Amino acid sequence: MFSHLQPTPIDPILGLMAAYKEDPNPQKVDLGVGVYKDENGHTAVLKCVKEAEALRLKLEDSKTYIGMAGDLSFNSHIEKLAFGPAHQVLLAGRVVTAHTPGGTGALRVAAEFIKKANPDATVWVTNPTWANHVSLFQAAGLKVKEYSYYDWETKGLKFDAMMAELATVPAGDVVLVHACCHNPSGMDLNFAQWQQFAELAKEKGFTPLVDMAYQGFGLGLDEDTQGLRYLADLVPELLLCSSCSKNFGLYRERIGAVSVITADSKTADIARSVLLAVVRSIYSMPPAHGAILVSHILNSAELTALWHQELAEMRNRINNYRQLIIDKFKEQGIAQDFSFITRQHGMFSFLGINKEQIEQLRKDYSIYMVGSSRVSIAGLNHSNIDYFAKAMAEVLKG
């Protein structure tokens, strides 16, 4: 049976990571991987996480399963982080949440849930979107289509085209939208645009699926959910996928959550049974460690304050580097306008350079980025940003 298997093409980002690792150049720069790095180029464990781990080690007295829905305290905290503690969907018992193996796991559970709710549903994703979105939904047997989003010419949004296309989406289909820090472009909807999107969703009857992998990395914990909360005010049903990889630095712990928001509490009870059946059929029970760490942090006023501080430091470092890139480019005499970088949010940006220039950066300077010119701002630091700016200046001359 196995002799008939054909090799699967390697994911471009994973291939980029492998090439970077093998590169002997001591000045090499990794702008491809979507992981936060500090000034030393290191993805450190947050102090609040270290303290929570010590507390967990002290208090843990069993390794038994935690149930298909996962850690209930974690689920409650994630809901409040997303919607605020007094949002109507929480007070009315309209939200059902299961903690999952990472944000990717949340999306896969959401996909299977959609399949059970409407097997004929099409999932609409932004053009472009995170590379794994399409394969996750297709793996569940769902059809996937794209809608206009990023404008390569203006380095902004094709908002009018986006709304025109979404106006044709039939009721029963699902429209995926990024809550904040759009991956891969960094271009987000502003609040007025969120309002128009929400009103269109209500009018047309399609179901929004909000992917929130970067809460707190854009403008702030509450600011990054402003659109989501307005959407939940307006539409009767939506799906939310959350991740703790970035904002808690819990990448390898694989902790996320999927939330289903229904029209009323009775429907929520039905949705819970379906959601847990989906979980049972995929991985049965989620991992406990990371979720309990998050619960320990958010159960403690002291650790929550420390987390807020550390999250702000990460967010501010990225935002400061967006401006620093512009400053360094100007120092190198780069005349091309890159000011759009400062209008974006989160870790990513498209530089808008061509494939030949991307290849030259890799070949001549060991600077690695995705073939679309997407760069991770967090890969820059004071020891490599001048080198990067000089390399960009040389490549743009050609």
Side-chain angles (χ1 to χ4, degrees):
M1 178 174 68
F2 299 152
S3 63
H4 298 291
L5 289 172
Q6 296 297 315
T8 301
I10 189 169
D11 184 292
I13 295 179
L14 298 180
L16 199 69
M17 291 170 62
Y20 172 82
K21 187 176 181 180
E22 295 171 3
D23 193 327
N25 187 346
Q27 290 186 292
K28 63 184 178 181
V29 181
D30 182 8
L31 301 181
V33 64
V35 173
Y36 178 82
K37 297 179 182 178
D38 60 20
E39 270 299 307
N40 299 313
H42 180 55
T43 306
V45 180
L46 299 185
K47 294 176 184 176
C48 63
V49 170
K50 281 288 190 184
E51 294 194 28
E53 285 182 319
L55 183 61
R56 172 157 166 71
L57 185 63
K58 178 181 178 181
L59 296 179
E60 185 179 38
D61 62 359
S62 176
K63 292 291 187 183
T64 191
Y65 296 119
I66 58 173
M68 289 181 288
D71 185 75
L72 300 184
S73 174
F74 169 83
N75 293 347
S76 176
H77 282 303
I78 287 297
E79 291 171 355
K80 291 173 184 175
L81 275 178
F83 298 105
H87 196 284
Q88 59 170 331
V89 296
L90 297 180
L91 299 179
R94 293 171 48 202
V95 184
V96 177
T97 299
H99 108 235
T100 58
T104 304
L107 285 161
R108 183 55 196 271
V109 171
E112 296 289 350
F113 183 88
I114 293 165
K115 185 70 173 178
K116 287 186 177 295
N118 180 10
D120 297 322
T122 294
V123 179
W124 296 73
V125 300
T126 61
N127 179 14
T129 194
W130 179 48
N132 209 21
H133 274 148
V134 173
S135 60
L136 281 167
F137 294 117
Q138 288 179 339
L142 295 167
K143 298 181 292 293
V144 180
K145 293 183 179 179
E146 294 181 333
Y147 63 90
S148 294
Y149 188 81
Y150 183 71
D151 191 327
W152 288 93
E153 295 298 321
T154 66
K155 308 298 190 295
L157 295 181
K158 291 183 175 180
F159 185 69
D160 290 343
M162 165 184 161
M163 293 296 286
E165 290 172 25
L166 292 183
T168 69
V169 174
D173 276 5
V174 176
V175 175
L176 184 145
V177 62
H178 300 228
C180 60
C181 308
H182 182 269
N183 181 2
S185 74
M187 287 302 304
D188 292 339
L189 300 175
N190 61 37
F191 185 56
Q193 291 167 334
W194 268 104
Q195 290 174 307
Q196 292 180 60
F197 172 79
E199 288 159 5
L200 185 65
K202 181 180 180 182
E203 176 189 346
K204 297 298 179 180
F206 60 74
T207 302
L209 191 170
V210 180
D211 188 2
M212 188 163 65
Y214 300 92
Q215 185 184 1
F217 260 66
L219 298 174
L221 282 167
D222 289 325
E223 293 87 343
D224 290 347
T225 63
Q226 190 178 26
L228 166 67
R229 293 177 184 183
Y230 184 85
L231 185 62
D233 279 332
L234 214 60
V235 301
E237 297 178 344
L238 66 92
L239 291 156
L240 170 66
C241 294
S242 309
S243 171
C244 296
S245 293
K246 279 75 179 180
N247 54 12
F248 285 91
L250 292 170
Y251 299 91
R252 67 175 59 171
E253 305 303 347
R254 308 308 300 132
I255 297 301
V258 57
S259 298
V260 181
I261 295 80
T262 62
D264 52 57
S265 59
K266 182 179 179 180
T267 309
D269 289 338
I270 298 171
R272 179 181 290 104
S273 67
V274 176
L275 186 67
L276 296 185
V278 168
V279 166
R280 179 64 169 164
S281 69
I282 301 176
Y283 53 84
S284 192
M285 312 282 178
H289 184 69
I292 293 175
L293 296 183
V294 172
S295 292
H296 282 330
I297 291 168
L298 297 180
N299 281 333
S300 162
E302 181 181 351
L303 290 184
T304 297
L306 178 57
W307 175 55
H308 287 174
Q309 175 188 329
E310 293 184 285
L311 179 56
E313 288 172 359
M314 292 189 288
R315 177 176 64 249
N316 291 338
R317 195 182 93 78
I318 291 173
N319 289 337
N320 290 341
Y321 265 84
R322 287 187 176 276
Q323 182 59 53
L324 190 57
I325 290 171
I326 307 303
D327 296 341
K328 293 294 184 180
F329 282 4
K330 288 180 179 178
E331 287 178 13
Q332 295 299 322
I334 295 176
Q336 186 173 328
D337 183 12
F338 283 92
S339 61
F340 59 86
I341 294 175
T342 60
R343 298 192 293 271
Q344 300 165 344
H345 302 108
M347 291 200 294
F348 304 116
S349 175
F350 285 130
L351 291 183
I353 60 178
N354 61 43
K355 292 187 181 297
E356 291 74 20
Q357 292 166 327
I358 294 168
E359 178 60 21
Q360 187 180 349
L361 285 169
R362 186 197 64 78
K363 182 179 178 181
D364 296 347
Y365 300 96
S366 296
I367 295 174
Y368 290 79
M369 66 184 67
V370 182
S372 61
S373 81
R374 188 208 79 173
V375 294
S376 175
I377 305 295
L380 294 170
N381 54 58
H382 283 294
S383 69
N384 66 22
I385 192 167
D386 286 309
Y387 176 73
F388 169 63
K390 289 177 183 177
M392 280 289 292
E394 290 298 319
V395 166
L396 291 173
K397 284 179 184 177

